[in-house]
Amino acid sequence: MKRIAVRNLRLCTKDCLCLYVCPNGATDTENSIIDTDKCIGCGVCADACPSGAISMVITDYPPQQKKKESVVAAVNSLAESKASIEKAAHEIAAGTDDEALERLMRAIARSSRLAAEDLLREGGYMLPQSANALDLVRSLRDTPPSKSFPSEAASEILRLVKCNDREEGEEGKYRCSVCFTEFDVSSGEDKVCPMCHADGENIERI
């Protein structure tokens, strides 16, 4: 499984040990972003980094595990609520002269953003190559939430990241979430558990 090194600039303390151990010079760049074309995935830089700023990331993620529609709907509703709270907190912070209130609102906005991100991951937006994650990026690009939204970056993501979700109708291996039986489904067959006969949302692709 191919891996590449990724540097978190917020954690990087500029100790620069990675520059000395990388065999290909992939870590030595002007913008501090590791050159993925040079990276061979050896992991030496990640092992050497004293601040834990470098992680090894696989290049081809598995298909996103499907979530039940009821779970997705509930999580999306909560995420939208957190987004509304974040927006309101930013508006209050921008309209007050009270320094303490402004700092409190900024903190509430930040915590709401983090909670919304966690909720979206629970709703099936964990993997960047999943269809729903790419659809979300596409919708944000087409209808930016603010003037500062990086639409060009979103377009570049959509160009570079290829969807790896398989169509529901494809043949393959499935698992029953009721009795946990794993079974194969051929093209044209219904996805029904051969043991307990569960179907629909109880059947997930593996």
Side-chain angles (χ1 to χ4, degrees), residues 30-81:
E30 292 183 4
N31 60 5
S32 297
I33 305 298
I34 294 175
D35 189 337
T36 56
D37 290 331
K38 293 182 179 179
C39 179
I40 59 174
C42 63
V44 176
C45 59
D47 293 337
C49 181
S51 59
I54 299 178
S55 302
M56 301 307 298
V57 179
I58 59 175
T59 57
D60 295 313
Y61 288 89
Q64 174 69 54
Q65 186 178 29
K66 299 300 180 184
K67 301 281 186 174
K68 290 186 177 181
E69 291 184 8
S70 57
V71 172
V72 174
V75 168
N76 285 346
S77 178
L78 286 170
E80 288 177 6
S81 173

Side-chain angles (χ1 to χ4, degrees), residues 26-179:
T27 59
D28 189 7
T29 59
E30 292 183 4
N31 60 5
S32 297
I33 305 298
I34 294 175
D35 189 337
T36 56
D37 290 331
K38 293 182 179 179
C39 179
I40 59 174
C42 63
V44 176
C45 59
D47 293 337
C49 181
S51 59
I54 299 178
S55 302
M56 301 307 298
V57 179
I58 59 175
T59 57
D60 295 313
Y61 288 89
Q64 174 69 54
Q65 186 178 29
K66 299 300 180 184
K67 301 281 186 174
K68 290 186 177 181
E69 291 184 8
S70 57
V71 172
V72 174
V75 168
N76 285 346
S77 178
L78 286 170
E80 288 177 6
S81 173
K82 293 298 181 182
S84 297
I85 293 172
E86 178 187 357
K87 182 179 180 180
H90 277 305
E91 291 175 351
I92 294 173
T96 183
D97 295 326
D98 187 328
E99 182 180 350
L101 179 59
E102 180 184 359
R103 292 174 60 186
L104 175 61
M105 290 299 103
R106 298 292 182 195
I108 290 175
R110 179 61 178 162
S111 63
S112 296
R113 167 76 61 90
L114 294 174
E117 290 175 352
D118 284 341
L119 286 165
L120 287 174
R121 281 191 284 269
E122 285 298 318
Y125 295 93
M126 177 69 76
L127 301 178
Q129 292 167 312
S130 65
N132 54 357
L134 292 174
D135 286 343
L136 177 61
V137 173
R138 188 174 293 105
S139 68
L140 291 172
R141 180 201 62 184
D142 295 342
T143 309
S146 66
K147 293 181 179 179
S148 61
F149 183 78
S151 297
E152 291 184 4
S155 294
E156 185 68 3
I157 289 173
L158 292 170
R159 186 183 70 82
L160 294 174
V161 179
K162 305 304 179 186
C163 179
N164 70 347
D165 278 357
R166 289 169 288 189
E167 294 296 328
E168 284 297 316
E170 287 186 357
E171 58 186 10
K173 185 174 285 294
Y174 290 81
R175 178 190 293 115
C176 174
S177 61
V178 177
C179 67

Side-chain angles (χ1 to χ4, degrees), residues 171-175 182-185 204-206:
E171 58 186 10
K173 185 174 285 294
Y174 290 81
R175 178 190 293 115
E182 295 183 3
F183 58 97
D184 293 316
V185 174
E204 59 187 21
R205 181 186 283 277
I206 57 176

